[in-house]
PDB file of all heavy atoms in Angstrom:
ATOM      1  N   TYR A 235      17.593   2.217  -5.747  1.00 98.00           N
ATOM      2  CA  TYR A 235      17.188   3.449  -6.436  1.00 98.00           C
ATOM      3  C   TYR A 235      16.148   3.080  -7.480  1.00 98.00           C
ATOM      4  O   TYR A 235      16.376   2.180  -8.303  1.00 98.00           O
ATOM      5  CB  TYR A 235      18.417   4.090  -7.081  1.00 98.00           C
ATOM      6  CG  TYR A 235      18.191   5.367  -7.869  1.00 98.00           C
ATOM      7  CD1 TYR A 235      17.342   6.369  -7.413  1.00 98.00           C
ATOM      8  CD2 TYR A 235      18.862   5.584  -9.078  1.00 98.00           C
ATOM      9  CE1 TYR A 235      17.168   7.540  -8.131  1.00 98.00           C
ATOM     10  CE2 TYR A 235      18.709   6.761  -9.796  1.00 98.00           C
ATOM     11  CZ  TYR A 235      17.854   7.733  -9.331  1.00 98.00           C
ATOM     12  OH  TYR A 235      17.683   8.895 -10.045  1.00 98.00           O
ATOM     13  N   ILE A 236      15.002   3.743  -7.421  1.00 98.00           N
ATOM     14  CA  ILE A 236      13.949   3.568  -8.430  1.00 98.00           C
ATOM     15  C   ILE A 236      13.707   4.910  -9.088  1.00 98.00           C
ATOM     16  O   ILE A 236      13.566   5.935  -8.418  1.00 98.00           O
ATOM     17  CB  ILE A 236      12.659   3.015  -7.813  1.00 98.00           C
ATOM     18  CG1 ILE A 236      12.903   1.611  -7.234  1.00 98.00           C
ATOM     19  CG2 ILE A 236      11.543   2.954  -8.857  1.00 98.00           C
ATOM     20  CD1 ILE A 236      11.683   0.998  -6.547  1.00 98.00           C
ATOM     21  N   HIS A 237      13.674   4.901 -10.412  1.00 98.00           N
ATOM     22  CA  HIS A 237      13.546   6.117 -11.210  1.00 98.00           C
ATOM     23  C   HIS A 237      12.335   5.986 -12.129  1.00 98.00           C
ATOM     24  O   HIS A 237      12.090   4.926 -12.705  1.00 98.00           O
ATOM     25  CB  HIS A 237      14.832   6.306 -12.042  1.00 98.00           C
ATOM     26  CG  HIS A 237      14.722   7.367 -13.101  1.00 98.00           C
ATOM     27  ND1 HIS A 237      14.349   7.084 -14.406  1.00 98.00           N
ATOM     28  CD2 HIS A 237      14.965   8.697 -13.060  1.00 98.00           C
ATOM     29  CE1 HIS A 237      14.367   8.198 -15.102  1.00 98.00           C
ATOM     30  NE2 HIS A 237      14.730   9.188 -14.315  1.00 98.00           N
ATOM     31  N   ALA A 238      11.573   7.069 -12.257  1.00 97.00           N
ATOM     32  CA  ALA A 238      10.450   7.105 -13.191  1.00 97.00           C
ATOM     33  C   ALA A 238      10.401   8.490 -13.823  1.00 97.00           C
ATOM     34  O   ALA A 238      10.509   9.495 -13.117  1.00 97.00           O
ATOM     35  CB  ALA A 238       9.140   6.797 -12.478  1.00 97.00           C
ATOM     36  N   ARG A 239      10.221   8.521 -15.140  1.00 95.00           N
ATOM     37  CA  ARG A 239      10.262   9.806 -15.843  1.00 95.00           C
ATOM     38  C   ARG A 239       9.223   9.828 -16.967  1.00 95.00           C
ATOM     39  O   ARG A 239       9.023   8.831 -17.655  1.00 95.00           O
ATOM     40  CB  ARG A 239      11.668  10.021 -16.428  1.00 95.00           C
ATOM     41  CG  ARG A 239      11.852  11.380 -17.082  1.00 95.00           C
ATOM     42  CD  ARG A 239      13.260  11.539 -17.615  1.00 95.00           C
ATOM     43  NE  ARG A 239      13.485  10.709 -18.789  1.00 95.00           N
ATOM     44  CZ  ARG A 239      14.652  10.606 -19.426  1.00 95.00           C
ATOM     45  NH1 ARG A 239      15.704  11.262 -18.964  1.00 95.00           N
ATOM     46  NH2 ARG A 239      14.768   9.846 -20.497  1.00 95.00           N
ATOM     47  N   ALA A 240       8.576  10.988 -17.124  1.00 92.00           N
ATOM     48  CA  ALA A 240       7.615  11.208 -18.218  1.00 92.00           C
ATOM     49  C   ALA A 240       6.535  10.128 -18.228  1.00 92.00           C
ATOM     50  O   ALA A 240       6.281   9.479 -19.237  1.00 92.00           O
ATOM     51  CB  ALA A 240       8.338  11.279 -19.566  1.00 92.00           C
ATOM     52  N   ILE A 241       5.899   9.943 -17.071  1.00 88.00           N
ATOM     53  CA  ILE A 241       4.863   8.920 -16.933  1.00 88.00           C
ATOM     54  C   ILE A 241       3.492   9.551 -16.684  1.00 88.00           C
ATOM     55  O   ILE A 241       2.583   8.898 -16.170  1.00 88.00           O
ATOM     56  CB  ILE A 241       5.204   7.932 -15.806  1.00 88.00           C
ATOM     57  CG1 ILE A 241       5.396   8.656 -14.472  1.00 88.00           C
ATOM     58  CG2 ILE A 241       6.451   7.137 -16.154  1.00 88.00           C
ATOM     59  CD1 ILE A 241       5.566   7.711 -13.296  1.00 88.00           C
ATOM     60  N   VAL A 242       3.332  10.809 -17.093  1.00 84.00           N
ATOM     61  CA  VAL A 242       2.118  11.571 -16.798  1.00 84.00           C
ATOM     62  C   VAL A 242       0.858  10.874 -17.289  1.00 84.00           C
ATOM     63  O   VAL A 242      -0.208  11.006 -16.688  1.00 84.00           O
ATOM     64  CB  VAL A 242       2.235  13.003 -17.370  1.00 84.00           C
ATOM     65  CG1 VAL A 242       2.382  12.988 -18.882  1.00 84.00           C
ATOM     66  CG2 VAL A 242       1.054  13.871 -16.955  1.00 84.00           C
ATOM     67  N   THR A 243       0.941  10.098 -18.369  1.00 80.00           N
ATOM     68  CA  THR A 243      -0.246   9.436 -18.918  1.00 80.00           C
ATOM     69  C   THR A 243      -0.352   7.968 -18.519  1.00 80.00           C
ATOM     70  O   THR A 243      -1.232   7.261 -19.010  1.00 80.00           O
ATOM     71  CB  THR A 243      -0.235   9.512 -20.459  1.00 80.00           C
ATOM     72  OG1 THR A 243       0.906   8.803 -20.959  1.00 80.00           O
ATOM     73  CG2 THR A 243      -0.195  10.947 -20.952  1.00 80.00           C
ATOM     74  N   CYS A 244       0.506   7.492 -17.637  1.00 83.00           N
ATOM     75  CA  CYS A 244       0.659   6.041 -17.465  1.00 83.00           C
ATOM     76  C   CYS A 244      -0.312   5.379 -16.493  1.00 83.00           C
ATOM     77  O   CYS A 244      -0.816   4.290 -16.784  1.00 83.00           O
ATOM     78  CB  CYS A 244       2.090   5.721 -17.019  1.00 83.00           C
ATOM     79  SG  CYS A 244       3.338   5.939 -18.305  1.00 83.00           S
ATOM     80  N   PHE A 245      -0.532   5.970 -15.320  1.00 87.00           N
ATOM     81  CA  PHE A 245      -1.140   5.214 -14.229  1.00 87.00           C
ATOM     82  C   PHE A 245      -2.484   5.791 -13.797  1.00 87.00           C
ATOM     83  O   PHE A 245      -2.687   7.005 -13.797  1.00 87.00           O
ATOM     84  CB  PHE A 245      -0.202   5.172 -13.019  1.00 87.00           C
ATOM     85  CG  PHE A 245       1.171   4.644 -13.334  1.00 87.00           C
ATOM     86  CD1 PHE A 245       2.308   5.317 -12.901  1.00 87.00           C
ATOM     87  CD2 PHE A 245       1.333   3.474 -14.069  1.00 87.00           C
ATOM     88  CE1 PHE A 245       3.572   4.838 -13.188  1.00 87.00           C
ATOM     89  CE2 PHE A 245       2.592   2.988 -14.368  1.00 87.00           C
ATOM     90  CZ  PHE A 245       3.721   3.671 -13.928  1.00 87.00           C
ATOM     91  N   LYS A 246      -3.370   4.907 -13.362  1.00 88.00           N
ATOM     92  CA  LYS A 246      -4.668   5.343 -12.870  1.00 88.00           C
ATOM     93  C   LYS A 246      -4.613   5.774 -11.405  1.00 88.00           C
ATOM     94  O   LYS A 246      -5.345   6.666 -10.987  1.00 88.00           O
ATOM     95  CB  LYS A 246      -5.690   4.218 -13.034  1.00 88.00           C
ATOM     96  CG  LYS A 246      -6.133   3.988 -14.472  1.00 88.00           C
ATOM     97  CD  LYS A 246      -7.281   2.988 -14.538  1.00 88.00           C
ATOM     98  CE  LYS A 246      -7.785   2.844 -15.959  1.00 88.00           C
ATOM     99  NZ  LYS A 246      -8.928   1.895 -16.046  1.00 88.00           N
ATOM    100  N   ASP A 247      -3.768   5.117 -10.608  1.00 94.00           N
ATOM    101  CA  ASP A 247      -3.718   5.381  -9.166  1.00 94.00           C
ATOM    102  C   ASP A 247      -2.278   5.674  -8.765  1.00 94.00           C
ATOM    103  O   ASP A 247      -1.507   4.773  -8.454  1.00 94.00           O
ATOM    104  CB  ASP A 247      -4.265   4.168  -8.399  1.00 94.00           C
ATOM    105  CG  ASP A 247      -4.461   4.456  -6.921  1.00 94.00           C
ATOM    106  OD1 ASP A 247      -3.873   5.432  -6.412  1.00 94.00           O
ATOM    107  OD2 ASP A 247      -5.197   3.696  -6.261  1.00 94.00           O
ATOM    108  N   ASN A 248      -1.920   6.946  -8.771  1.00 95.00           N
ATOM    109  CA  ASN A 248      -0.540   7.327  -8.467  1.00 95.00           C
ATOM    110  C   ASN A 248      -0.181   7.071  -7.008  1.00 95.00           C
ATOM    111  O   ASN A 248       0.965   6.733  -6.699  1.00 95.00           O
ATOM    112  CB  ASN A 248      -0.317   8.798  -8.823  1.00 95.00           C
ATOM    113  CG  ASN A 248      -0.358   9.032 -10.324  1.00 95.00           C
ATOM    114  OD1 ASN A 248      -0.026   8.151 -11.110  1.00 95.00           O
ATOM    115  ND2 ASN A 248      -0.770  10.230 -10.738  1.00 95.00           N
ATOM    116  N   ARG A 249      -1.131   7.224  -6.108  1.00 95.00           N
ATOM    117  CA  ARG A 249      -0.867   6.909  -4.700  1.00 95.00           C
ATOM    118  C   ARG A 249      -0.459   5.444  -4.537  1.00 95.00           C
ATOM    119  O   ARG A 249       0.495   5.132  -3.825  1.00 95.00           O
ATOM    120  CB  ARG A 249      -2.120   7.177  -3.857  1.00 95.00           C
ATOM    121  CG  ARG A 249      -2.272   8.589  -3.332  1.00 95.00           C
ATOM    122  CD  ARG A 249      -3.365   8.639  -2.283  1.00 95.00           C
ATOM    123  NE  ARG A 249      -3.511   9.969  -1.715  1.00 95.00           N
ATOM    124  CZ  ARG A 249      -4.338  10.895  -2.195  1.00 95.00           C
ATOM    125  NH1 ARG A 249      -5.077  10.620  -3.254  1.00 95.00           N
ATOM    126  NH2 ARG A 249      -4.410  12.092  -1.624  1.00 95.00           N
ATOM    127  N   ALA A 250      -1.211   4.560  -5.194  1.00 95.00           N
ATOM    128  CA  ALA A 250      -0.908   3.136  -5.110  1.00 95.00           C
ATOM    129  C   ALA A 250       0.455   2.829  -5.711  1.00 95.00           C
ATOM    130  O   ALA A 250       1.189   1.958  -5.215  1.00 95.00           O
ATOM    131  CB  ALA A 250      -1.992   2.325  -5.819  1.00 95.00           C
ATOM    132  N   MET A 251       0.830   3.550  -6.764  1.00 96.00           N
ATOM    133  CA  MET A 251       2.132   3.336  -7.385  1.00 96.00           C
ATOM    134  C   MET A 251       3.258   3.764  -6.441  1.00 96.00           C
ATOM    135  O   MET A 251       4.281   3.074  -6.325  1.00 96.00           O
ATOM    136  CB  MET A 251       2.220   4.116  -8.698  1.00 96.00           C
ATOM    137  CG  MET A 251       3.453   3.814  -9.518  1.00 96.00           C
ATOM    138  SD  MET A 251       3.654   2.055  -9.928  1.00 96.00           S
ATOM    139  CE  MET A 251       2.095   1.724 -10.755  1.00 96.00           C
ATOM    140  N   VAL A 252       3.077   4.881  -5.736  1.00 97.00           N
ATOM    141  CA  VAL A 252       4.093   5.318  -4.770  1.00 97.00           C
ATOM    142  C   VAL A 252       4.256   4.275  -3.672  1.00 97.00           C
ATOM    143  O   VAL A 252       5.385   3.970  -3.247  1.00 97.00           O
ATOM    144  CB  VAL A 252       3.717   6.693  -4.172  1.00 97.00           C
ATOM    145  CG1 VAL A 252       4.640   7.050  -3.017  1.00 97.00           C
ATOM    146  CG2 VAL A 252       3.788   7.776  -5.247  1.00 97.00           C
ATOM    147  N   LYS A 253       3.155   3.697  -3.203  1.00 98.00           N
ATOM    148  CA  LYS A 253       3.227   2.662  -2.163  1.00 98.00           C
ATOM    149  C   LYS A 253       3.977   1.432  -2.679  1.00 98.00           C
ATOM    150  O   LYS A 253       4.810   0.851  -1.970  1.00 98.00           O
ATOM    151  CB  LYS A 253       1.810   2.267  -1.741  1.00 98.00           C
ATOM    152  CG  LYS A 253       1.754   1.148  -0.685  1.00 98.00           C
ATOM    153  CD  LYS A 253       2.341   1.579   0.641  1.00 98.00           C
ATOM    154  CE  LYS A 253       1.965   0.652   1.787  1.00 98.00           C
ATOM    155  NZ  LYS A 253       2.409  -0.737   1.592  1.00 98.00           N
ATOM    156  N   LYS A 254       3.722   1.063  -3.915  1.00 97.00           N
ATOM    157  CA  LYS A 254       4.398  -0.095  -4.502  1.00 97.00           C
ATOM    158  C   LYS A 254       5.898   0.174  -4.617  1.00 97.00           C
ATOM    159  O   LYS A 254       6.733  -0.704  -4.340  1.00 97.00           O
ATOM    160  CB  LYS A 254       3.788  -0.380  -5.880  1.00 97.00           C
ATOM    161  CG  LYS A 254       4.173  -1.705  -6.478  1.00 97.00           C
ATOM    162  CD  LYS A 254       3.444  -1.927  -7.805  1.00 97.00           C
ATOM    163  CE  LYS A 254       1.964  -2.084  -7.620  1.00 97.00           C
ATOM    164  NZ  LYS A 254       1.286  -2.478  -8.881  1.00 97.00           N
ATOM    165  N   ILE A 255       6.261   1.385  -5.006  1.00 98.00           N
ATOM    166  CA  ILE A 255       7.670   1.770  -5.103  1.00 98.00           C
ATOM    167  C   ILE A 255       8.324   1.723  -3.728  1.00 98.00           C
ATOM    168  O   ILE A 255       9.424   1.186  -3.561  1.00 98.00           O
ATOM    169  CB  ILE A 255       7.785   3.169  -5.740  1.00 98.00           C
ATOM    170  CG1 ILE A 255       7.403   3.110  -7.237  1.00 98.00           C
ATOM    171  CG2 ILE A 255       9.178   3.752  -5.557  1.00 98.00           C
ATOM    172  CD1 ILE A 255       7.129   4.460  -7.852  1.00 98.00           C
ATOM    173  N   PHE A 256       7.653   2.288  -2.723  1.00 98.00           N
ATOM    174  CA  PHE A 256       8.174   2.293  -1.346  1.00 98.00           C
ATOM    175  C   PHE A 256       8.440   0.870  -0.862  1.00 98.00           C
ATOM    176  O   PHE A 256       9.488   0.573  -0.279  1.00 98.00           O
ATOM    177  CB  PHE A 256       7.164   2.988  -0.434  1.00 98.00           C
ATOM    178  CG  PHE A 256       7.622   3.176   0.981  1.00 98.00           C
ATOM    179  CD1 PHE A 256       8.362   4.295   1.348  1.00 98.00           C
ATOM    180  CD2 PHE A 256       7.294   2.245   1.965  1.00 98.00           C
ATOM    181  CE1 PHE A 256       8.778   4.478   2.656  1.00 98.00           C
ATOM    182  CE2 PHE A 256       7.704   2.419   3.276  1.00 98.00           C
ATOM    183  CZ  PHE A 256       8.454   3.540   3.626  1.00 98.00           C
ATOM    184  N   ASP A 257       7.489  -0.022  -1.131  1.00 98.00           N
ATOM    185  CA  ASP A 257       7.609  -1.410  -0.661  1.00 98.00           C
ATOM    186  C   ASP A 257       8.736  -2.166  -1.354  1.00 98.00           C
ATOM    187  O   ASP A 257       9.204  -3.190  -0.833  1.00 98.00           O
ATOM    188  CB  ASP A 257       6.289  -2.154  -0.890  1.00 98.00           C
ATOM    189  CG  ASP A 257       5.181  -1.669   0.024  1.00 98.00           C
ATOM    190  OD1 ASP A 257       5.493  -0.991   1.030  1.00 98.00           O
ATOM    191  OD2 ASP A 257       4.000  -1.945  -0.272  1.00 98.00           O
ATOM    192  N   ASN A 258       9.161  -1.689  -2.525  1.00 98.00           N
ATOM    193  CA  ASN A 258      10.208  -2.383  -3.285  1.00 98.00           C
ATOM    194  C   ASN A 258      11.558  -1.689  -3.221  1.00 98.00           C
ATOM    195  O   ASN A 258      12.460  -2.003  -4.002  1.00 98.00           O
ATOM    196  CB  ASN A 258       9.765  -2.556  -4.739  1.00 98.00           C
ATOM    197  CG  ASN A 258       8.773  -3.685  -4.913  1.00 98.00           C
ATOM    198  OD1 ASN A 258       9.137  -4.833  -5.130  1.00 98.00           O
ATOM    199  ND2 ASN A 258       7.486  -3.361  -4.790  1.00 98.00           N
ATOM    200  N   LEU A 259      11.708  -0.759  -2.284  1.00 98.00           N
ATOM    201  CA  LEU A 259      12.988  -0.126  -2.014  1.00 98.00           C
ATOM    202  C   LEU A 259      13.624  -0.734  -0.762  1.00 98.00           C
ATOM    203  O   LEU A 259      12.935  -1.082   0.192  1.00 98.00           O
ATOM    204  CB  LEU A 259      12.815   1.375  -1.783  1.00 98.00           C
ATOM    205  CG  LEU A 259      12.768   2.299  -2.997  1.00 98.00           C
ATOM    206  CD1 LEU A 259      12.394   3.704  -2.539  1.00 98.00           C
ATOM    207  CD2 LEU A 259      14.099   2.333  -3.741  1.00 98.00           C
ATOM    208  N   LYS A 260      14.933  -0.819  -0.767  1.00 98.00           N
ATOM    209  CA  LYS A 260      15.646  -1.179   0.443  1.00 98.00           C
ATOM    210  C   LYS A 260      15.570  -0.002   1.428  1.00 98.00           C
ATOM    211  O   LYS A 260      15.471   1.160   1.006  1.00 98.00           O
ATOM    212  CB  LYS A 260      17.117  -1.478   0.136  1.00 98.00           C
ATOM    213  CG  LYS A 260      17.351  -2.705  -0.720  1.00 98.00           C
ATOM    214  CD  LYS A 260      18.838  -2.865  -1.006  1.00 98.00           C
ATOM    215  CE  LYS A 260      19.098  -4.047  -1.938  1.00 98.00           C
ATOM    216  NZ  LYS A 260      20.539  -4.165  -2.277  1.00 98.00           N
ATOM    217  N   PRO A 261      15.632  -0.247   2.727  1.00 98.00           N
ATOM    218  CA  PRO A 261      15.749   0.866   3.670  1.00 98.00           C
ATOM    219  C   PRO A 261      16.958   1.740   3.307  1.00 98.00           C
ATOM    220  O   PRO A 261      18.046   1.224   3.045  1.00 98.00           O
ATOM    221  CB  PRO A 261      15.952   0.160   5.014  1.00 98.00           C
ATOM    222  CG  PRO A 261      15.288  -1.168   4.833  1.00 98.00           C
ATOM    223  CD  PRO A 261      15.552  -1.555   3.403  1.00 98.00           C
ATOM    224  N   GLY A 262      16.734   3.045   3.250  1.00 98.00           N
ATOM    225  CA  GLY A 262      17.786   3.965   2.829  1.00 98.00           C
ATOM    226  C   GLY A 262      17.812   4.216   1.334  1.00 98.00           C
ATOM    227  O   GLY A 262      18.562   5.068   0.859  1.00 98.00           O
ATOM    228  N   GLY A 263      16.974   3.481   0.578  1.00 98.00           N
ATOM    229  CA  GLY A 263      16.942   3.645  -0.868  1.00 98.00           C
ATOM    230  C   GLY A 263      16.154   4.872  -1.293  1.00 98.00           C
ATOM    231  O   GLY A 263      15.319   5.402  -0.536  1.00 98.00           O
ATOM    232  N   TYR A 264      16.422   5.342  -2.508  1.00 98.00           N
ATOM    233  CA  TYR A 264      15.795   6.562  -3.023  1.00 98.00           C
ATOM    234  C   TYR A 264      14.846   6.266  -4.174  1.00 98.00           C
ATOM    235  O   TYR A 264      15.088   5.366  -5.000  1.00 98.00           O
ATOM    236  CB  TYR A 264      16.862   7.537  -3.524  1.00 98.00           C
ATOM    237  CG  TYR A 264      17.503   8.368  -2.437  1.00 98.00           C
ATOM    238  CD1 TYR A 264      18.619   7.894  -1.756  1.00 98.00           C
ATOM    239  CD2 TYR A 264      16.974   9.608  -2.083  1.00 98.00           C
ATOM    240  CE1 TYR A 264      19.205   8.648  -0.751  1.00 98.00           C
ATOM    241  CE2 TYR A 264      17.556  10.372  -1.079  1.00 98.00           C
ATOM    242  CZ  TYR A 264      18.671   9.896  -0.422  1.00 98.00           C
ATOM    243  OH  TYR A 264      19.240  10.634   0.569  1.00 98.00           O
ATOM    244  N   PHE A 265      13.788   7.051  -4.226  1.00 98.00           N
ATOM    245  CA  PHE A 265      12.903   7.098  -5.393  1.00 98.00           C
ATOM    246  C   PHE A 265      12.979   8.491  -5.989  1.00 98.00           C
ATOM    247  O   PHE A 265      12.943   9.486  -5.261  1.00 98.00           O
ATOM    248  CB  PHE A 265      11.462   6.775  -5.012  1.00 98.00           C
ATOM    249  CG  PHE A 265      10.465   7.096  -6.095  1.00 98.00           C
ATOM    250  CD1 PHE A 265      10.622   6.589  -7.381  1.00 98.00           C
ATOM    251  CD2 PHE A 265       9.369   7.913  -5.840  1.00 98.00           C
ATOM    252  CE1 PHE A 265       9.706   6.888  -8.388  1.00 98.00           C
ATOM    253  CE2 PHE A 265       8.442   8.208  -6.834  1.00 98.00           C
ATOM    254  CZ  PHE A 265       8.622   7.697  -8.105  1.00 98.00           C
ATOM    255  N   GLU A 266      13.076   8.552  -7.317  1.00 98.00           N
ATOM    256  CA  GLU A 266      13.099   9.848  -8.025  1.00 98.00           C
ATOM    257  C   GLU A 266      12.076   9.830  -9.148  1.00 98.00           C
ATOM    258  O   GLU A 266      11.993   8.893  -9.940  1.00 98.00           O
ATOM    259  CB  GLU A 266      14.486  10.137  -8.581  1.00 98.00           C
ATOM    260  CG  GLU A 266      14.540  11.459  -9.334  1.00 98.00           C
ATOM    261  CD  GLU A 266      15.943  12.034  -9.458  1.00 98.00           C
ATOM    262  OE1 GLU A 266      16.893  11.386  -8.973  1.00 98.00           O
ATOM    263  OE2 GLU A 266      16.075  13.124 -10.032  1.00 98.00           O
ATOM    264  N   PHE A 267      11.310  10.911  -9.215  1.00 97.00           N
ATOM    265  CA  PHE A 267      10.218  11.082 -10.175  1.00 97.00           C
ATOM    266  C   PHE A 267      10.464  12.366 -10.960  1.00 97.00           C
ATOM    267  O   PHE A 267      10.752  13.413 -10.369  1.00 97.00           O
ATOM    268  CB  PHE A 267       8.900  11.152  -9.391  1.00 97.00           C
ATOM    269  CG  PHE A 267       7.683  11.514 -10.183  1.00 97.00           C
ATOM    270  CD1 PHE A 267       7.030  10.575 -10.955  1.00 97.00           C
ATOM    271  CD2 PHE A 267       7.162  12.798 -10.117  1.00 97.00           C
ATOM    272  CE1 PHE A 267       5.874  10.901 -11.663  1.00 97.00           C
ATOM    273  CE2 PHE A 267       6.008  13.138 -10.813  1.00 97.00           C
ATOM    274  CZ  PHE A 267       5.362  12.188 -11.589  1.00 97.00           C
ATOM    275  N   GLN A 268      10.368  12.293 -12.280  1.00 97.00           N
ATOM    276  CA  GLN A 268      10.583  13.456 -13.144  1.00 97.00           C
ATOM    277  C   GLN A 268       9.459  13.474 -14.178  1.00 97.00           C
ATOM    278  O   GLN A 268       9.319  12.522 -14.944  1.00 97.00           O
ATOM    279  CB  GLN A 268      11.935  13.366 -13.864  1.00 97.00           C
ATOM    280  CG  GLN A 268      13.124  13.077 -12.968  1.00 97.00           C
ATOM    281  CD  GLN A 268      14.412  12.905 -13.763  1.00 97.00           C
ATOM    282  OE1 GLN A 268      14.453  13.033 -14.984  1.00 97.00           O
ATOM    283  NE2 GLN A 268      15.497  12.598 -13.061  1.00 97.00           N
ATOM    284  N   ASP A 269       8.661  14.534 -14.202  1.00 95.00           N
ATOM    285  CA  ASP A 269       7.485  14.488 -15.072  1.00 95.00           C
ATOM    286  C   ASP A 269       7.088  15.861 -15.597  1.00 95.00           C
ATOM    287  O   ASP A 269       7.074  16.844 -14.846  1.00 95.00           O
ATOM    288  CB  ASP A 269       6.297  13.910 -14.286  1.00 95.00           C
ATOM    289  CG  ASP A 269       5.430  12.988 -15.109  1.00 95.00           C
ATOM    290  OD1 ASP A 269       5.932  12.389 -16.070  1.00 95.00           O
ATOM    291  OD2 ASP A 269       4.252  12.831 -14.771  1.00 95.00           O
ATOM    292  N   PRO A 270       6.737  15.938 -16.886  1.00 94.00           N
ATOM    293  CA  PRO A 270       6.080  17.136 -17.387  1.00 94.00           C
ATOM    294  C   PRO A 270       4.691  17.241 -16.768  1.00 94.00           C
ATOM    295  O   PRO A 270       4.105  16.222 -16.365  1.00 94.00           O
ATOM    296  CB  PRO A 270       5.979  16.895 -18.907  1.00 94.00           C
ATOM    297  CG  PRO A 270       6.747  15.671 -19.190  1.00 94.00           C
ATOM    298  CD  PRO A 270       6.877  14.905 -17.921  1.00 94.00           C
ATOM    299  N   THR A 271       4.152  18.436 -16.673  1.00 95.00           N
ATOM    300  CA  THR A 271       2.840  18.620 -16.056  1.00 95.00           C
ATOM    301  C   THR A 271       1.853  19.229 -17.047  1.00 95.00           C
ATOM    302  O   THR A 271       2.240  19.925 -17.986  1.00 95.00           O
ATOM    303  CB  THR A 271       2.938  19.527 -14.817  1.00 95.00           C
ATOM    304  OG1 THR A 271       3.288  20.846 -15.228  1.00 95.00           O
ATOM    305  CG2 THR A 271       3.979  19.004 -13.828  1.00 95.00           C
ATOM    306  N   PHE A 272       0.606  18.935 -16.823  1.00 94.00           N
ATOM    307  CA  PHE A 272      -0.502  19.539 -17.577  1.00 94.00           C
ATOM    308  C   PHE A 272      -1.310  20.406 -16.630  1.00 94.00           C
ATOM    309  O   PHE A 272      -1.394  20.117 -15.437  1.00 94.00           O
ATOM    310  CB  PHE A 272      -1.411  18.431 -18.140  1.00 94.00           C
ATOM    311  CG  PHE A 272      -1.010  17.916 -19.482  1.00 94.00           C
ATOM    312  CD1 PHE A 272      -0.081  16.899 -19.588  1.00 94.00           C
ATOM    313  CD2 PHE A 272      -1.565  18.434 -20.645  1.00 94.00           C
ATOM    314  CE1 PHE A 272       0.284  16.399 -20.821  1.00 94.00           C
ATOM    315  CE2 PHE A 272      -1.214  17.946 -21.879  1.00 94.00           C
ATOM    316  CZ  PHE A 272      -0.283  16.923 -21.983  1.00 94.00           C
ATOM    317  N   PRO A 273      -1.963  21.468 -17.178  1.00 96.00           N
ATOM    318  CA  PRO A 273      -1.841  21.967 -18.550  1.00 96.00           C
ATOM    319  C   PRO A 273      -0.676  22.939 -18.684  1.00 96.00           C
ATOM    320  O   PRO A 273      -0.074  23.339 -17.684  1.00 96.00           O
ATOM    321  CB  PRO A 273      -3.168  22.696 -18.748  1.00 96.00           C
ATOM    322  CG  PRO A 273      -3.501  23.227 -17.381  1.00 96.00           C
ATOM    323  CD  PRO A 273      -2.987  22.194 -16.408  1.00 96.00           C
ATOM    324  N   MET A 274      -0.364  23.303 -19.921  1.00 97.00           N
ATOM    325  CA  MET A 274       0.606  24.377 -20.154  1.00 97.00           C
ATOM    326  C   MET A 274       0.037  25.687 -19.613  1.00 97.00           C
ATOM    327  O   MET A 274      -1.180  25.841 -19.446  1.00 97.00           O
ATOM    328  CB  MET A 274       0.883  24.520 -21.651  1.00 97.00           C
ATOM    329  CG  MET A 274       1.544  23.316 -22.266  1.00 97.00           C
ATOM    330  SD  MET A 274       1.660  23.489 -24.069  1.00 97.00           S
ATOM    331  CE  MET A 274       2.299  21.865 -24.491  1.00 97.00           C
ATOM    332  N   LEU A 275       0.929  26.644 -19.376  1.00 98.00           N
ATOM    333  CA  LEU A 275       0.547  27.921 -18.779  1.00 98.00           C
ATOM    334  C   LEU A 275       1.118  29.075 -19.580  1.00 98.00           C
ATOM    335  O   LEU A 275       2.051  28.911 -20.370  1.00 98.00           O
ATOM    336  CB  LEU A 275       1.072  28.000 -17.345  1.00 98.00           C
ATOM    337  CG  LEU A 275       0.657  26.876 -16.379  1.00 98.00           C
ATOM    338  CD1 LEU A 275       1.486  26.953 -15.102  1.00 98.00           C
ATOM    339  CD2 LEU A 275      -0.827  26.934 -16.067  1.00 98.00           C
ATOM    340  N   SER A 276       0.558  30.265 -19.367  1.00 98.00           N
ATOM    341  CA  SER A 276       1.192  31.513 -19.825  1.00 98.00           C
ATOM    342  C   SER A 276       0.847  32.598 -18.822  1.00 98.00           C
ATOM    343  O   SER A 276      -0.301  32.696 -18.381  1.00 98.00           O
ATOM    344  CB  SER A 276       0.718  31.910 -21.237  1.00 98.00           C
ATOM    345  OG  SER A 276      -0.649  32.275 -21.235  1.00 98.00           O
TER     346      SER A 276
END
């Protein structure tokens, strides 16, 4: 299980980060991402 939260300002290449996460999971393992989004809305 890999978890990442509130990383909206962290990475330059999110696609590459997802690939790195996938490669470091066991088969059957889960990745979970939780993030605030920009911009705010009304």
Side-chain angles (χ1 to χ4, degrees):
Y235 179 42
I236 297 178
H237 169 267
R239 185 179 71 183
I241 57 173
V242 62
T243 63
C244 288
F245 305 132
K246 286 188 176 181
D247 190 342
N248 291 331
R249 272 192 178 91
M251 188 56 56
V252 171
K253 178 66 164 60
K254 192 176 293 188
I255 290 165
F256 185 87
D257 290 344
N258 282 271
L259 276 172
K260 294 178 183 177
Y264 278 88
F265 167 54
E266 179 159 1
F267 172 80
Q268 310 176 2
D269 219 26
T271 67
F272 272 86
M274 295 173 186
L275 304 168
S276 67

